[in-house]
Amino acid sequence: MSFVEYGDTIKDGDTAIVFLGHESMFPVKVQHGTVTQTKYGVIRHSTDLIGKKYGSKVTCSKGGWVFILHPTPELWTMNLPHRTQILYSTDISIITMMLELKPGSIVCESGTGSGSLSHALIRTVAPTGHLYTVEFHQQRAEKAREEFQEHGVEHLVTVTNQDVCKNGFGVSNIADAVFLDIPSPWEAIGHAKSALKAEGGRICSFSPCIEQVQRTCLAMEEYGFTEINTLEILLRVYNVRTISLQIPDLGKAAEDNSSTGFDSSNPSNQGSLCINLQQGTVQFKSGVPLREMVGHTGYLTFATKS
């Protein structure tokens, strides 16, 4: 099992995703002789998982069933153990695009945190690229190193435990891109410039506060970066629902449906609209935004080394 390569069958030692529903899933490490408890009953790793194909429907001891999914960076982002605040797929997607990453790219990252972005970066630069990730906190760095090894990507990433603002990334003039997610990114801009290749490298800084963005932009200008711009990505989800609205009373009842431009004999119209003249309502499908939405996560500041 690897987060960058797909395997057909579940093996002992794999990390798999137990899918109970779109709002209910969790990771599990497959081990011979181990059992996992779910609300539908027990999953026995030896008989229910090992040797089965990923995507299989597994029946639990109480008669309920779950799906066992192959791990991906997207699924890991939704299920990883949170050691820090993490980046989600909405921001990750624009980061990988704006940094112009591709297989073979060399990327420097700080800090590693819970490894959400790290797994996506590794998948993007594989099989010939490399990620150099720096984490200030020793225990988080060690845990991230263990996870990369368990997920079969340790050959694509180097984890370093040090202060990037003081000691940099440990590499010089080789990186195609640098990503910063630290409290004071302006203090690491000089080290980021040293890590980037001679010309054309890209940098991205993630900051939750606009004051951090202002200081970071000033530092980027001071070190000669160009094309500096800041983005904020907001995700708004819509649900498709059946809406019922009253037909307005415009005076005289409409005796001729043609005056409304609606042809009831047309089968396509019959499927899209349901008019009840007796009740004076019309039903149709519409996209309705959720009452609550994910708001501000952070500002993404991009620039190019000139």
Side-chain angles (χ1 to χ4, degrees):
M1 185 278 305
S2 171
F3 273 58
V4 297
E5 298 175 355
Y6 182 78
D8 287 332
T9 58
I10 305 170
K11 299 181 178 62
D12 188 14
D14 282 2
T15 298
I17 305 298
V18 180
F19 181 88
L20 293 82
H22 289 289
E23 302 297 329
S24 179
M25 64 184 90
F26 60 89
V28 62
K29 184 173 182 180
V30 179
Q31 293 179 314
H32 184 77
T34 303
V35 298
T36 297
Q37 295 282 350
T38 74
K39 63 181 180 180
Y40 300 127
V42 172
I43 301 174
R44 295 175 176 84
H45 294 200
S46 301
T47 57
D48 297 334
L49 299 184
I50 297 177
K52 300 290 182 65
K53 286 190 174 183
Y54 279 106
S56 297
K57 184 178 180 180
V58 175
T59 302
C60 305
S61 61
K62 293 181 180 180
W65 47 266
V66 299
F67 287 105
I68 308 300
L69 306 181
H70 192 284
T72 64
E74 290 79 12
L75 288 175
W76 185 245
T77 291
M78 298 171 63
N79 296 280
L80 57 77
H82 285 233
R83 299 182 289 272
T84 61
Q85 292 289 332
I86 69 169
L87 290 176
Y88 290 92
S89 297
T90 306
D91 288 319
I92 291 174
S93 59
I94 196 71
I95 290 170
T96 54
M97 184 189 73
M98 294 294 288
L99 289 182
E100 302 174 3
L101 301 182
K102 60 186 183 297
S105 296
I106 306 297
V107 187
C108 292
E109 175 197 27
S110 182
T112 312
S114 300
S116 174
L117 176 65
S118 303
H119 283 81
L121 295 177
I122 292 170
R123 196 262 306 272
T124 303
V125 304
T128 56
H130 201 84
L131 171 66
Y132 294 90
T133 182
V134 179
E135 173 57 50
F136 175 79
H137 194 275
Q138 182 179 358
Q139 292 180 338
R140 287 201 292 263
E142 292 174 354
K143 185 61 179 177
R145 194 178 289 113
E146 293 175 5
E147 286 181 350
F148 292 142
Q149 186 173 2
E150 290 177 357
H151 298 165
V153 296
E154 69 279 4
H155 61 292
L156 297 170
V157 56
T158 299
V159 182
T160 306
N161 172 222
Q162 64 186 28
D163 185 353
V164 69
C165 296
K166 295 181 179 179
N167 306 113
F169 294 93
V171 297
S172 299
N173 302 320
I174 65 169
D176 297 289
V178 169
F179 176 79
L180 298 174
D181 183 7
I182 54 178
S184 52
W186 56 90
E187 297 181 0
I189 298 300
H191 294 295
K193 183 178 181 179
S194 299
L196 287 168
K197 59 186 181 182
E199 186 177 356
R202 295 279 287 167
I203 184 174
C204 174
S205 174
F206 177 89
S207 297
C209 301
I210 195 64
E211 292 81 7
Q212 294 170 305
V213 174
Q214 292 171 337
R215 296 188 65 174
T216 302
C217 290
L218 291 173
M220 288 178 175
E221 288 183 344
E222 180 181 347
Y223 281 95
F225 284 90
T226 59
E227 300 178 344
I228 302 172
N229 62 86
T230 299
L231 308 177
E232 182 185 23
I233 311 301
L234 300 178
L235 176 66
R236 192 175 190 185
V237 179
Y238 282 76
N239 284 339
V240 177
R241 296 179 182 175
T242 300
I243 305 298
S244 180
L245 294 179
Q246 288 187 339
I247 298 176
D249 183 4
L250 301 179
K252 183 179 179 182
E255 297 178 357
D256 185 6
N257 288 338
S258 62
S259 63
T260 64
F262 178 78
D263 183 7
S264 60
S265 63
N266 189 335
S268 62
N269 286 339
Q270 292 175 358
S272 60
L273 288 176
C274 179
I275 298 179
N276 189 332
L277 295 178
Q278 293 180 350
Q279 296 181 357
T281 61
V282 58
Q283 292 183 337
F284 59 93
K285 296 291 185 180
S286 178
V288 179
L290 300 180
R291 293 184 178 181
E292 295 181 359
M293 64 172 282
V294 178
H296 171 74
T297 57
Y299 300 102
L300 295 168
T301 301
F302 295 92
T304 302
K305 181 178 179 180
S306 178

